[in-house]
């Protein structure tokens, strides 16, 4: 009898524990589903319009939640891009899926490539993106034709609030890169920067201000080094 009662009590406790786990699982699943519903209720078009307006994005707002949901899609696609070899045509197809729009056949991308959004990148023709680049494009990244982007370049378009009490809030600002720009390895371009046509950003530079066309900048923070000479601008070699 003692063995039977002990086994019976043990079974009852196991059953209660099982019911409790099931309840917690269903409860958490309901919370997650409600959060996902909040995110899905916003359309991508509305999300991009909000970001491109430059308005502050409050933490835990619908826009913030949509941003996190969108990042999961970007992480899945970048994992496909980065974790095996793809022929150029297949790679451009994956890159197009990441951006949510077709990219020109003249674009060259060398993985690995990283982004936590992807849907606010606009790229012209004959653009080259070397290995290890990181594009934080929520605020908008616009790259015109003929631009070369070196290894490990970071393009960042989000700032956080200066207030410690609202630090999770974000302020989007776009990056505009002109035609035939050359950005050297390990350079960082910060939110709101415009780089003019034909400019050169030296390796390792941190660009905090606009770069005039046909100039060379370098350093931390980046400063003007010189203008391109007339011969340099006209030389085709």
């Amino acid at each position: 009898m003692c063995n039977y009662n002990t086994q019976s009590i043990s079974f009852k406790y196991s059953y209660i524990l099982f019911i409790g786990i099931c309840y917690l699982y269903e409860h958490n699943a309901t919370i997650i589903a409600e959060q996902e519903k909040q995110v899905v209720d916003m359309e991508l078009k509305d999300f991009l319009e909000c970001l491109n307006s430059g308005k502050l994005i409050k933490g835990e707002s619908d826009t913030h939640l949509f941003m996190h949901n969108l990042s999961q899609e970007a992480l899945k696609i970048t994992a496909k891009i980065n974790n095996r070899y793809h022929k150029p045509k297949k790679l451009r197809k994956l890159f197009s899926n990441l951006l949510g729009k077709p990219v020109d056949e003249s674009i060259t991308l060398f993985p690995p490539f990283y982004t936590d959004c992807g849907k606010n990148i606009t790229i012209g023709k004959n653009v080259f993106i070397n290995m290890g680049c990181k594009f934080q494009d929520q605020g908008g990244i616009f790259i015109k034709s003929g631009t070369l982007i070196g290894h490990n370049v970071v393009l960042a378009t989000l700032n956080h609030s200066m207030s410690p009490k609202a630090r999770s809030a974000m302020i989007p600002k776009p990056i505009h890169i002109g035609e035939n720009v050359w950005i050297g390895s390990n350079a960082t371009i910060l939110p709101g920067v415009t780089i003019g046509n034909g400019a050169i950003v030296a390796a390792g530079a941190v660009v905090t201000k606009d770069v005039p066309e046909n100039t060379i900048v370098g350093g931390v923070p980046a400063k003007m080094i010189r203008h391109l000479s007339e011969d340099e601008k006209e030389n085709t070699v």
Side-chain angles (χ1 to χ4, degrees), residues 10 14 30 33 38 44 48 61 79 100 104 109 138 141 149 170 175 181 189-190 225 232:
S10 176
S14 297
T30 300
Q38 281 184 305
L44 178 61
L48 293 177
S61 64
D104 193 79
L109 172 68
Q138 285 88 345
I141 292 174
I149 301 178
M170 289 169 285
I175 290 173
V181 171
I189 316 299
L190 295 185
I225 296 174
E232 287 170 330

Side-chain angles (χ1 to χ4, degrees), residues 127-222:
V127 171
F128 174 74
I129 302 170
N130 218 328
M131 293 182 289
C133 289
K134 301 174 180 68
F135 287 13
Q136 182 197 55
D137 62 287
Q138 285 88 345
I141 292 174
F142 303 89
I143 304 170
K144 291 188 176 180
S145 298
T147 285
L148 310 177
I149 301 178
H151 295 88
N152 303 314
V153 167
V154 174
L155 305 181
T157 65
L158 289 176
N159 278 319
H160 284 280
S161 170
M162 296 297 288
S163 170
K165 294 182 179 179
R167 189 53 52 81
S168 63
M170 289 169 285
I171 305 154
K173 292 184 179 181
I175 290 173
H176 292 271
I177 301 172
E179 294 181 350
N180 302 314
V181 171
W182 175 18
I183 301 178
S185 299
N186 295 296
T188 298
I189 316 299
L190 295 185
V193 166
T194 294
I195 301 176
N197 296 338
I200 298 173
V201 177
V206 176
V207 184
T208 62
K209 297 179 180 179
D210 291 351
V211 178
E213 65 178 28
N214 296 318
T215 61
I216 304 172
V217 300
V220 181

Side-chain angles (χ1 to χ4, degrees), residues 2 27 45 77 93 97 103 105 121 128 157 169 173 194 201 205 222 224 229 237:
C2 287
H27 180 68
K45 180 181 177 182
I77 298 174
K93 183 178 180 181
N97 291 341
V103 297
E105 291 183 358
I121 299 173
F128 174 74
T157 65
K173 292 184 179 181
T194 294
V201 177
M224 170 89 71
S229 69
V237 178

Side-chain angles (χ1 to χ4, degrees), residues 50-67:
C50 180
L51 290 174
N52 292 333
S53 73
K55 295 179 181 178
L56 182 141
I57 300 168
K58 293 183 179 180
E60 303 304 319
S61 64
D62 287 348
T63 305
H64 191 206
L65 291 172
F66 188 96
M67 184 184 297

